[in-house]
Amino acid sequence: MQKTAPFHLLAALALLASCTPLPPTDLSQASLIPYPVAVTTGGERFALQAQTNVYAPAELAALGTYLVETLTATTQQPFALEVGQPNPAAKGIHLALGDNLPELGAEGYQLTIAAKRIDLVANQPAGIFRGLQTLRQLVPLVSRDSSQRYWDIPSGTITDYPLYAYRGAMLDVSRHFFGVADVKRFIDLIAAFKINFLHLHLADDQGWRIEIKSWPQLTTIGGSTAVGGGPGGFYTQDDYRELVRYAQTRFVTIVPEIDMPGHTNAALASYPELNCNGVAPPLYTGTKVGFSTLCTDQEITYQFVDDVVRELAALTPGPYLHVGGDESHVTDLDDYIPFINRVQEIVHTHGKQMIGWDEVSHASLSKNSVVQYWAKAENALRGASQGAQVLLSPAHKVYLDMQYDSTTHLGLHWAAYIEVDSAYNWSPETLVPGLNQDKILGLESPLWTETVTTMADIEYLVFPRLLGHAELGWSPVAVRNWAQYRVRLAAHATRMEALGINFYRSKQVDWLR
Ligand code: TNX
């Protein structure tokens, strides 16, 4: 017969295990992505439990509610929010705005974890939101059937702020359309890694996805299909306002893009008068690029652009409108340059700054315009030499529609195969030789959707590569290191699973479980 320990010994051991505090873990060893600017270790721990209150002043009440909701989702326990004056003596999690740490800027925060309380301080609500993403990553995950009732958070102090002001993701909703619910989920998932801009590619050859009241056929005709001939779709202006509002609650700014003068077949198919020959081409459901152009020497074209930009600007609280400008292979450079110059003026008339893909640097850029580098370093440099800022989207490193390797089924590979190490292991600072650091606005990771049709497809291509890009955009050079990053990333498998993310389990990472 097998020997078993007497029952009372097992019971005593179980009791011991539930009462004896485990040695505190080291805050600096936490699997945070992006890794913070500075972490000091305290040697104690804060025991989060259902009775832990969250305290927030009135102006942070919504963020207090958000924290309570995310804690409840992680722990399956209820938490209480108290809104009002700061209560210095109370045990719990305290959110506060302060102004005595100017180095934190608009998005930085300081998170101080002690045995009895956690203090999250920032200059602005955006900083509180970023700090809450760090705090979320510090709460250990438990399995749903666990009887666990407290969650140890190692003590110490995190002081953190972003390296770059713009840390973006782009979703192409033109090649395939994704509805409001999908985009909201996308916003939640990217915001968890401190991404602060969502660029929506709203119009291309295969589909026009935003209602323009003065040109209604753009959506009734131009929005009616997609790559492969599916039904397409579009956002009404109310849908779009709802996306903008939701993004604001996650401190994400939406950048709308209408690509022009190329990538315009959907518009050209909707209105014959936009074509030089006055004839509307058929709708297009293939995946070729570079065959369409607006008629750059007709006045109606500029009336169209002005109407579209005006309506879009009115829907856009953020500073930027993206006008595309890429791959206009059938527009002569002699026509392209004055077109972009004029479009830039129209964007200014409606109170916005222009962003364009790197080809726009052939035109005369104003200093507040942004060149999005995707293909040609010389274009990025030409933009910078005109005083414009540069947004880095090198296709061979950050294009989320590139396959991981030749065996992964979704995506393309014209720029590269991008495994998880390749996506992380490069330096934005030295990518374009001769580009001054102070000209780099930030990074953006585009997901083109020729091969992408479902939210699960989106997640597979975005995760986990976007986490690496998020760290390159946020964390200082000194804390970035692939060997350490891949260990931290491994710990995110359970977190991504808990969020229901269909992520790519790269063999380069020893995923925890
Ligand atoms: C190039 S990147 C494009 C897109 C395609 C993408 C596919 C850029 C500015 N233009 O039109 O969707 O490649 O990877």
Side-chain angles (χ1 to χ4, degrees):
M1 206 179 98
Q2 206 187 331
K3 267 196 172 176
T4 49
F7 174 73
H8 61 268
L9 189 60
L10 284 178
L13 278 174
L15 197 66
L16 205 66
S18 67
C19 304
T20 316
L22 300 165
T25 46
D26 181 343
L27 185 61
S28 70
Q29 298 301 307
S31 296
L32 296 170
I33 297 178
Y35 198 77
V37 171
V39 184
T40 61
T41 295
E44 297 180 300
R45 94 261 314 283
F46 178 93
L48 179 74
Q49 45 200 312
Q51 296 89 327
T52 304
N53 276 357
V54 173
Y55 299 89
E59 65 267 35
L60 297 177
L63 286 171
T65 303
Y66 171 84
L67 173 58
V68 163
E69 284 168 6
T70 54
L71 289 177
T72 300
T74 308
T75 62
Q76 310 294 314
Q77 299 292 314
F79 291 86
L81 172 66
E82 268 194 37
V83 176
Q85 294 304 311
N87 181 347
K91 190 183 168 194
I93 304 175
H94 299 255
L95 311 184
L97 293 177
D99 55 9
N100 54 348
L101 291 167
E103 72 271 24
L104 298 181
E107 286 188 278
Y109 63 92
Q110 191 164 65
L111 184 63
T112 309
I113 301 156
K116 298 280 179 235
R117 52 186 286 149
I118 293 178
D119 284 282
L120 176 58
V121 183
N123 296 326
Q124 295 190 21
I128 298 290
F129 184 82
R130 306 293 173 231
L132 290 178
Q133 304 315 315
T134 303
L135 182 57
R136 283 175 77 184
Q137 292 188 16
L138 289 171
V139 178
L141 286 181
V142 288
S143 60
R144 284 187 186 277
D145 54 359
S146 159
S147 58
Q148 185 169 344
R149 287 293 172 267
Y150 67 88
W151 292 264
D152 277 344
I153 301 178
S155 72
T157 301
I158 294 176
T159 307
D160 201 15
Y161 45 86
L163 180 56
Y164 294 111
Y166 189 119
R167 306 171 307 281
M170 190 205 85
L171 185 61
D172 170 7
V173 294
S174 173
R175 272 55 178 271
H176 283 101
F177 181 66
F178 297 90
V180 170
D182 282 345
V183 178
K184 284 184 176 177
R185 174 167 168 81
F186 192 69
I187 290 168
D188 275 334
L189 298 182
I190 65 176
F193 301 98
K194 301 185 172 66
I195 297 294
N196 64 346
F197 282 88
L198 171 62
H199 166 183
L200 289 176
H201 185 75
L202 290 167
D204 210 302
D205 291 316
Q206 297 88 345
W208 185 286
R209 308 302 182 198
I210 177 73
E211 177 189 20
I212 300 295
K213 296 203 188 269
S214 52
W215 295 74
Q217 283 157 219
L218 289 171
T219 42
T220 55
I221 297 174
S224 66
T225 191
V227 165
F234 65 91
Y235 309 117
T236 65
Q237 294 203 351
D238 281 344
D239 289 340
Y240 193 81
R241 275 190 207 94
E242 172 60 14
L243 286 178
V244 168
R245 185 205 63 77
Y246 189 80
Q248 284 174 325
T249 69
R250 303 304 186 249
F251 295 85
V252 168
T253 302
I254 295 189
V255 178
E257 177 188 353
I258 299 295
D259 206 341
M260 59 181 103
H263 289 274
T264 42
N265 192 77
L268 298 168
S270 305
Y271 286 99
E273 58 267 45
L274 295 177
N275 297 270
C276 287
N277 65 0
V279 179
L283 290 166
Y284 182 70
T285 60
T287 58
K288 290 202 188 89
V289 296
F291 61 88
S292 55
T293 185
L294 291 173
C295 190
T296 55
D297 52 14
Q298 269 182 174
E299 243 353 79
I300 181 87
T301 296
Y302 299 94
Q303 184 57 50
F304 165 77
V305 173
D306 188 73
D307 286 337
V308 169
V309 169
R310 173 173 47 75
E311 291 196 33
L312 215 47
L315 293 169
T316 302
Y320 300 118
L321 287 195
H322 201 305
V323 301
D326 58 312
E327 298 174 320
S328 283
H329 301 325
V330 294
T331 322
D332 278 354
L333 197 57
D334 290 345
D335 296 329
Y336 177 87
I337 289 172
F339 175 84
I340 296 293
N341 287 342
R342 209 163 151 189
V343 168
Q344 181 176 247
E345 260 178 56
I346 292 171
V347 170
H348 290 170
T349 306
H350 296 291
K352 299 295 175 188
Q353 290 171 250
M354 182 180 88
I355 307 187
W357 298 106
D358 63 45
E359 291 94 322
V360 299
S361 73
H362 288 286
S364 304
L365 296 182
S366 77
K367 290 195 173 29
N368 73 6
S369 290
V370 177
V371 172
Q372 185 164 12
Y373 164 60
W374 68 283
K376 286 203 174 147
E378 69 195 62
N379 287 345
L381 290 171
R382 190 185 310 106
S385 73
Q386 298 191 57
Q389 291 219 281
V390 178
L391 178 59
L392 300 176
S393 296
H396 65 295
K397 290 293 173 191
V398 304
Y399 267 29
L400 295 168
D401 65 319
M402 292 298 117
Q403 287 165 268
Y404 289 94
D405 64 27
S406 63
T407 70
T408 53
H409 62 291
L410 284 173
L412 309 171
H413 56 259
W414 64 264
Y417 293 111
I418 308 178
E419 248 294 358
V420 173
D421 63 343
S422 175
Y424 179 81
N425 221 349
W426 61 283
S427 171
E429 293 69 30
T430 55
L431 177 76
V432 181
L435 182 64
N436 251 329
Q437 172 90 42
D438 64 3
K439 282 283 152 214
I440 302 177
L441 179 62
L443 267 65
E444 184 180 281
S445 313
L447 180 63
W448 303 99
T449 59
E450 285 95 332
T451 66
V452 177
T453 57
T454 65
M455 191 68 204
D457 292 350
I458 290 179
E459 292 171 14
Y460 183 80
L461 288 168
V462 172
F463 297 95
R465 286 183 290 201
L466 185 68
L467 279 66
H469 302 156
E471 178 150 308
L472 295 178
W474 179 283
S475 306
V477 180
V479 308
R480 297 180 339 218
N481 171 312
W482 163 250
Q484 290 163 11
Y485 173 76
R486 69 185 278 281
V487 174
R488 282 183 280 122
L489 181 58
H492 279 264
T494 43
R495 286 189 185 280
M496 289 191 282
E497 271 171 11
L499 294 169
I501 299 177
N502 176 41
F503 67 98
Y504 166 64
R505 286 182 172 268
S506 169
K507 291 194 181 67
Q508 298 182 328
V509 179
D510 302 319
W511 300 104
L512 292 184
R513 71 170 270 172

